[in-house]
Amino acid sequence: MAEEEVVLTQEGFDKLQAELDDLKYVKRKELAARIKLAISYGDLKENSEYHSAKDDQGFMETRIMILEKMLTKARIVDTSDSDSSAIGVGSNVVLKDIEFGDTLEYQVVGPAEADVANGKISYESPLGKALMGKAVGDKIDVEAPMGMIHYELLEIKAL
């Protein structure tokens, strides 16, 4: 089975690349120093500092492999000439919750850079799927664990 591409905005790609660079060129050195210091304490069987550092090293190396694979498979979405008449990956949207009147702002991104707390939703999420291709004024219905949520698309902001 072919591996899927990783859809990213340029901002998301840059963020992942910065994380990878930090892990490879800064954190690896810091962790190597931690391991070296822990080894100096002797008796590795009973050395909790050594075992903790080795566990951290394993997690870090796994994250490095994941990031390298993601960046290799990345397809960067060009948002510079995005069509503000319909929602696509990279679109910034303003929604109104019809029931409560709340106004919400999101950017539709790929799953790898989704971060709801910071207003970034995946195009694969229930809301993201419902938004794709919609235009200003459209009503959007999303099935959520607490029931159906109804939105109105107020604006598609240019980047």
Side-chain angles (χ1 to χ4, degrees):
M1 178 177 193
E3 294 185 37
E4 291 185 30
E5 65 186 4
V6 177
V7 178
L8 295 168
T9 61
Q10 185 64 53
E11 176 186 0
F13 181 88
D14 293 345
K15 185 176 177 182
L16 292 178
Q17 184 65 57
E19 179 184 354
L20 177 61
D21 290 346
D22 183 53
L23 289 173
K24 288 174 74 173
Y25 305 115
V26 177
K27 301 293 186 208
R28 263 186 182 160
K29 289 179 184 177
E30 292 173 358
L31 201 47
R34 253 181 75 200
I35 291 171
K36 185 176 180 180
L37 179 62
I39 289 172
S40 73
Y41 296 151
D43 191 12
L44 298 182
K45 289 181 185 178
E46 301 290 327
N47 189 329
S48 64
E49 288 87 358
Y50 173 78
H51 293 288
S52 174
K54 289 300 279 184
D55 286 345
D56 290 347
Q57 182 182 41
F59 290 124
M60 183 183 66
E61 292 301 327
T62 300
R63 180 66 180 161
I64 288 171
M65 286 189 306
I66 290 169
L67 288 171
E68 287 176 335
K69 189 173 186 178
M70 287 172 63
L71 292 171
T72 300
K73 303 288 182 187
R75 177 174 63 90
I76 299 172
V77 177
D78 183 10
T79 56
S80 63
D81 61 346
S82 61
D83 177 12
S84 62
S85 65
I87 296 174
V89 177
S91 294
N92 288 300
V93 300
V94 179
L95 303 172
K96 179 180 179 184
D97 183 319
I98 294 173
E99 182 179 357
F100 297 105
D102 297 335
T103 301
L104 308 163
E105 291 191 36
Y106 293 110
Q107 181 181 24
V108 180
V109 297
E113 62 182 303
D115 181 0
V116 177
N118 287 309
K120 295 181 182 230
I121 59 168
S122 168
Y123 67 86
E124 292 182 345
S125 70
L127 178 56
K129 285 179 184 177
L131 287 171
M132 296 301 287
K134 297 292 193 247
V136 173
D138 285 352
K139 304 289 190 245
I140 295 117
D141 299 321
V142 180
E143 183 67 40
M146 61 188 198
M148 192 64 76
I149 302 174
H150 308 283
Y151 297 103
E152 179 182 356
L153 180 56
L154 299 178
E155 184 180 355
I156 302 172
K157 292 183 172 183
L159 295 177

